[in-house]
Amino acid sequence: MKRGNFSDPTEFHLMGLSDNQELQSVLFGVFLSIYLITVFGNILIILATAFDSNLHTPMYFFISNLSFIDVCFTTTTIPKMLVNIQAQISSISYVGCLTQICFVLAFAGLENGILVMMAYDRFVAICHPLRYTVIMNPKFCGVLLLLSFLISILDALLHTLMALRLSFCTKVEIPHFFCELAHILKLACSNILINNILVYLVTSLLGVLPLSGIIYSYTRIISSVLKIPSAAGKYKVFSTCASHLVVVILFYGTGFGVYLSSAGTHSTRKSAIASVMYTVVTPIMNPFIYSLRNKDMVEAFKKLISRITAPL
């Protein structure tokens, strides 16, 4: 293709989830409510774990960091969508689009890493309880978090820098409510072979390998639980893992669902709707999953509310 058929866009156009003007106001209300609930619920978890000394354990350290990432994750995508709907515009700058891609990849990678750490934490707690405090010490937990942060940032920067080399045709409309790497690659007129190879390679390393680690951890956990003679003991051990297991299924299930919908359908709008699951639904579900089934968290919420509402 000749150079004249390419353009250097200064902005992209986010087409959103629907072209129906009447539906736009409904979407605005729904996504604004989801965003406020997500931010409030996750911040509540962060404050509860910070102020309650009973929750100063590795498991709640990872939960509070997961909540912080969920707040950042939704803030990267939803506010821009709300602004576009309210102002009845669809544009996002070229730099803003690439920045959004970078942050989405970084926070998704961090959430992936923390879910792996939480699986390892449960594995050590159940399979090696006598060594738990020695292995899962604060320094080790901090190193794991820092390592996940560095890997996620490097992965996001690598994909973003590779996207900088792409040239685009005159039509730069993204059938999505945020800039997603897969849609940017579909819009490119230049050769994206290297980008695709990089996507598949990184997905294998940072997606399949962590998931395999989680599956291995739960295989060992289930094996240990089955050795417990009493049914009450089995239930107690399993209940400590149930919340995390639900979040893992929700995160990876929706993530792979988005991948399969992108690969198996030519409708990019359907792919965009599928992306709502892991970018919006998962972050809003986490506070409910970790609070409703967790007595310690409920008690921490009560203490936090009492402290806030107590007279000065």
Side-chain angles (χ1 to χ4, degrees):
M1 187 175 290
K2 296 181 180 180
R3 180 65 190 174
N5 292 333
F6 294 90
S7 65
D8 296 319
T10 57
E11 64 179 25
F12 292 94
H13 293 278
L14 297 172
M15 306 311 293
L17 297 175
S18 174
D19 298 324
N20 191 325
Q21 291 297 323
E22 295 181 358
L23 189 59
Q24 292 294 322
S25 58
V26 176
L27 290 174
F28 180 85
V30 170
F31 277 84
L32 178 60
S33 301
I34 289 174
Y35 179 66
L36 294 177
I37 294 171
T38 301
V39 172
F40 177 76
N42 283 291
I43 288 179
L44 200 61
I45 288 179
I46 295 171
L47 293 176
T49 55
F51 287 107
D52 193 334
S53 58
N54 294 326
L55 301 185
H56 292 175
T57 63
M59 181 176 70
Y60 292 105
F61 170 76
F62 293 134
I63 289 176
S64 62
N65 278 280
L66 183 65
S67 295
F68 175 74
I69 291 167
D70 283 336
V71 171
C72 296
F73 200 0
T74 53
T75 302
T76 302
T77 58
I78 295 182
K80 177 60 179 174
M81 175 191 184
L82 297 176
V83 170
N84 282 8
I85 293 176
Q86 186 66 20
Q88 295 186 349
I89 60 174
S90 62
S91 62
I92 181 172
S93 68
Y94 176 74
V95 174
C97 187
L98 291 180
T99 302
Q100 196 174 61
I101 289 174
C102 185
F103 279 109
V104 166
L105 291 173
F107 291 129
L110 274 168
E111 181 146 355
N112 177 46
I114 288 183
L115 290 177
V116 176
M117 296 176 211
M118 293 173 71
Y120 181 71
D121 173 76
R122 294 298 84 202
F123 163 72
V124 176
I126 294 172
C127 298
H128 304 283
L130 300 179
R131 299 176 56 195
Y132 179 76
T133 55
V134 176
I135 297 174
M136 300 302 296
N137 60 77
K139 183 178 180 181
F140 180 65
C141 293
V143 169
L144 287 179
L145 187 63
L146 179 62
L147 183 62
S148 178
F149 174 79
L150 292 176
I151 292 174
S152 300
I153 292 297
L154 288 174
D155 171 50
L157 288 175
L158 180 60
H159 284 297
T160 306
L161 291 174
M162 289 299 295
L164 281 172
R165 58 180 283 275
L166 299 177
S167 297
F168 298 90
C169 301
T170 54
K171 186 178 181 180
V172 285
E173 294 180 347
I174 302 173
H176 213 314
F177 67 96
F178 71 96
C179 289
E180 192 173 45
L181 181 62
H183 289 278
I184 295 299
L185 294 181
K186 290 179 181 179
L187 287 175
C189 290
S190 53
N191 194 316
I192 60 172
L193 177 61
I194 298 177
N195 298 78
N196 283 329
I197 291 174
L198 185 62
V199 168
Y200 291 128
L201 179 62
V202 172
T203 301
S204 300
L205 292 176
L206 302 184
V208 177
L209 288 181
L211 181 59
S212 300
I214 293 174
I215 293 173
Y216 172 78
S217 296
Y218 273 101
T219 301
R220 294 289 303 275
I221 288 171
I222 292 172
S223 177
S224 298
V225 169
L226 292 177
K227 294 178 182 178
I228 299 175
S230 66
K234 292 179 181 179
Y235 175 80
K236 183 178 180 181
V237 173
F238 180 75
S239 64
T240 64
C241 303
S243 298
H244 174 254
L245 192 57
V246 170
V247 173
V248 167
I249 294 172
L250 191 61
F251 180 76
Y252 284 100
T254 54
F256 282 114
V258 170
Y259 174 78
L260 292 175
S261 67
S262 299
T265 180
H266 296 291
S267 174
T268 51
R269 185 59 59 82
K270 289 182 179 179
S271 175
I273 295 174
S275 296
V276 173
M277 294 301 295
Y278 82 94
T279 57
V280 178
V281 175
T282 302
I284 195 177
M285 289 299 297
N286 286 353
F288 296 102
I289 293 171
Y290 283 117
S291 60
L292 295 179
R293 291 182 52 85
N294 194 312
K295 294 181 180 179
D296 293 333
M297 190 67 75
V298 172
E299 289 299 319
F301 286 154
K302 292 179 180 179
K303 292 179 183 179
L304 179 63
I305 293 172
S306 298
R307 178 176 297 188
I308 295 173
T309 57
L312 297 175

